[in-house]
Amino acid sequence: DFSWQYKAFNLRGEYVETEVGADTGSGTAASEGATWETWYTQGAYRFNQSKWELVARYTDFDSPHNSQDQQQWAIGTNYLFTNNFIGKLSYEFNDGQEGSDADQDRFLFQMAYGF
């Protein structure tokens, strides 16, 4: 992961790769040795040291199951109650396999707490 800040602008991102273990027989797991891979890059601009910031984010998720693969753009705004408690409102533009959940655009309202 990385994070870089210049004045009111923050750029961050992360790359994650996970190897799948043995199949549990449930029919939903990928075969042994398969991998999930994802990364994102996000830019945020905070207005005049206020508690508001605009955010744009790009994500790419690759799964052993093609129906779960997804590319995503998201735009939104965050309200920073404190440095570790944030309210988020965003809209996601999702591009996945046609007809799958990974292809559905959506609005999100989230509360995030970090410690």
Side-chain angles (χ1 to χ4, degrees), residues 35-103:
T35 58
W36 270 267
E37 180 181 80
T38 187
W39 64 272
Y40 81 90
T41 301
Q42 172 181 297
Y45 180 80
R46 192 165 174 182
F47 292 102
N48 299 325
Q49 298 302 319
S50 74
K51 294 184 180 263
W52 291 96
E53 66 181 3
L54 287 180
V55 180
R57 176 180 175 128
Y58 178 79
T59 303
D60 187 9
F61 176 74
D62 292 315
S63 166
H65 306 287
N66 288 338
S67 64
Q68 296 175 350
D69 288 354
Q70 183 180 60
Q71 294 178 334
Q72 176 188 90
W73 280 98
I75 56 171
T77 186
N78 294 342
Y79 183 80
L80 290 76
F81 294 99
T82 64
N83 286 340
N84 64 339
F85 183 52
I86 303 172
K88 301 178 175 193
L89 177 64
S90 64
Y91 187 78
E92 295 178 349
F93 301 91
N94 292 306
D95 184 19
Q97 187 176 40
E98 192 170 325
S100 71
D101 288 341
D103 195 44

